[in-house]
Amino acid sequence: MQISRRGLLAGAAVGGGLLVAWGLWPRDYGVPLTPGRGEWAFGAWLKLARDGVLTVAVPQLEMGQGITTLIPQIVAAEMGADWRQVAVEPAPVSGAYSNLPLAAKWAPLWLPLAPGVADEPGDLVTRRWAGENGFMATADGTSLGAYERPAREAAAAARAMLCMAAAERWGVNYEECEAQGGLVLHGGRQLSFAALAEEAARFDAPDPPPLKPAPYSERPIAVGASQDLAYPRLDLPAKVDGGFQFAGDVRLPGMLYAAIRHGPVGDAVLSGYGSKAGARTLGLRQVVKSRRWIAAVADTWWAAEQALTALRPRWRTENRADSGIIDQRLDEALTKGEASRIATRGEGDRDLGEPTVTYRYEIAPATHATLETASATARVADGRLELWLASQAPAAAKAAAAKAVGLSAADVVLYPMSAGGSFDRRLEHDHAIEAAVIAAEVGAPVQLVWSRWQEMVAGRPRSPLACLASAWTAREDGTPGALRMRVAMPATTREFGERLFGNKTAFAALDAAEDPDPLAFEGALSPYAIPAVAIDHVPVDIGLPTGRMRGNAAGYLAFIVESFIDELAARVGREPLSFRMALLGGDPRLAECLQRAARLAQWDGGARQSGNGLACWRIGNPATGEAVARIACVATARAGEGGVRVSKLSAAVDLGRVVNQDIARQQIEGGLVFGTSLATGSAISFADGLPTESSLGALALPRLADCPDISVEIIAGDGEPADPGEIGAVIAAPAIANALHSATGLRLRRLPLLSEGI
């Protein structure tokens, strides 16, 4: 919903609400960057130094996806900078870096009573809320959509200012100058950015900035070909030599280390512990306890962990999470619960009678399995809290930690650190609150690191669900004329929103998230040309807090829809590829992905016992102009000793305009491996409030020897660049499931596959 400044003022004046209008008026958040000696800031995005180093602010969490290369690359390409002289600085929390597309997308979470006034990135309410709250969250593949344009504008303005400085020296018009390779050029003359930095900073930036005619893009190369990288990753050398700093690498003078134990999953309260036994642990400094957790602080993390073992904390817990109870509640909700219609196409299932076919699909809770567990360092001194933290939502983490120790957010300094993997796990900030509370009580800097066991106990797994997929099909060829999905699952996105924006505890958020959850079904209206579609949600309280995970709604919807489409084809003996192609008349680009993936994999028609299966999906809505990622994948898999054996994945991907082909390929390949892990493992189960899996080794994750041969063809496209990080993760599971059906003749309708045997 668009609201103009003039319209807002006029409406406010009529109603006597000028104060409201003033409160919504967009604000200038200044220049958050602090230049060092011999360095000058050019707006909020970049600094240029006398030695020629160009430092670019990155307002997104680097968690392996390469964002600390992508945003600087956009700046360097637009500005004409020398890539060898580009550096990166994590941006401080500031309204100058608002993620407006994500703020609009999540409006139902932070503005639940009137999301319609903030459902577009350009809406005045969206801009004001995101700015005032420093909303810089890294999620849902919105980084390029949010930051490519402002980064380009900042670079274009700086380029113009450098040209102005050079033109003044040469006595020419600055529009006649050009910038290339870190130099300003005119005729046979040249001056370096370094030589011009101080003078250029004195000029006013042109408004609007003189953008280049087209944003930077790279044309994808053929599968198996190689080429020199125009913009190699900036973080790669430090990651190779071990010098890259993650959240757990922070070291401060006088720092102590904390380990923690959380109560079982349920309404847990600490009821006691053996203080005398713990006190005998060498190096123990202090025990800090809260209602739902207890921490030991010691000279080393191992000493703190050993002290907690000796303390043997005891818990009084009601409503303990249990996998048997979870499955029972999902089953009852699916078969008997009251459903709400979330999405409809055409007439939905109106007056259709009984469906031709109905199948049931299930998905177990899945854990993120990040390499780096939750880690945070805190120091409280002189009325100020300092936090060293890897966070996908730094403003929310900062505010929550401040409140926990009785400070205002203005009294908190958050130093953004990189994450050793996240997959949306670092959207949560429990560990930031705990570290702040522990440091405040101890009176010294404290680094809190969760053990792998605690990551399992206190994590926020992907929500489990049960679904009945029904179709009304044509008798002659099995083509679906109508599709209905009835899904029983927690209102997981609303629950997450209560934690992130309402600062509620996990179980308080469960109580607040009782309504149907449309955000948990993004993309449910599939690209297939099925005239009538109906999506129903049955919210269910399973007694287990759940959260977001890489791929989110597409991760489970793709498995359900693509498995179901394959089953519809098999019922009438139709070949899976041609069956899909006949339904994709409304999305020719996705149809092209299917054809290319089939050629890449030498598709054999998915013949019985071939072990080949395919699937396709898209993320994004082309009807709204949103950037769309499309993928088709052919998997080769078999049931082997010890589980599923995936030998090959062949994918064709359309991302629109590709900004960095190398990073895009890395993300797609990594996503396919991550999706494979969700297909074959990653599940977490509970008994008496505790996970039955305690280590990474218990999650049946693919090891290096288990990783399939992967071939990826990136299709040259135009339009806005789509995010490559999610699309590979969502397609692997359905492609593998369909491949196993081809190999075994059995249909596996539960993730992870083979979790119930064959």
Side-chain angles (χ1 to χ4, degrees), residues 263-268 292 318-322 326 329 365-368 425 428 430 455-464 490-493 495-496 499 504-511 513 540-548 684 686 689:
V265 181
D267 192 5
R292 300 181 185 274
E318 298 179 359
N319 304 316
R320 298 190 178 210
D322 185 272
I326 291 172
R329 291 183 180 179
T367 187
H368 303 77
R425 178 67 182 90
E428 308 285 348
D430 310 50
E455 189 75 45
M456 300 288 197
V457 172
R460 301 285 180 264
R462 183 175 74 176
S463 175
T492 185
T493 313
E495 177 190 339
F496 158 75
R499 293 195 301 268
K504 287 186 169 63
T505 64
F507 277 83
L510 274 180
D511 293 338
V540 53
D541 180 1
I542 60 172
L544 172 69
T546 59
R548 296 178 68 79
I684 186 169
F686 295 85

Side-chain angles (χ1 to χ4, degrees), residues 21 101 150 185 234 351 424 438 503 505 512 519 552 577 588 602 630 702:
L185 309 172
L234 294 176
D351 301 326
D424 280 358
I438 294 167
N503 198 26
T505 64
L519 290 183
N552 291 295
L577 174 61
Q602 297 181 326
R630 295 172 172 86

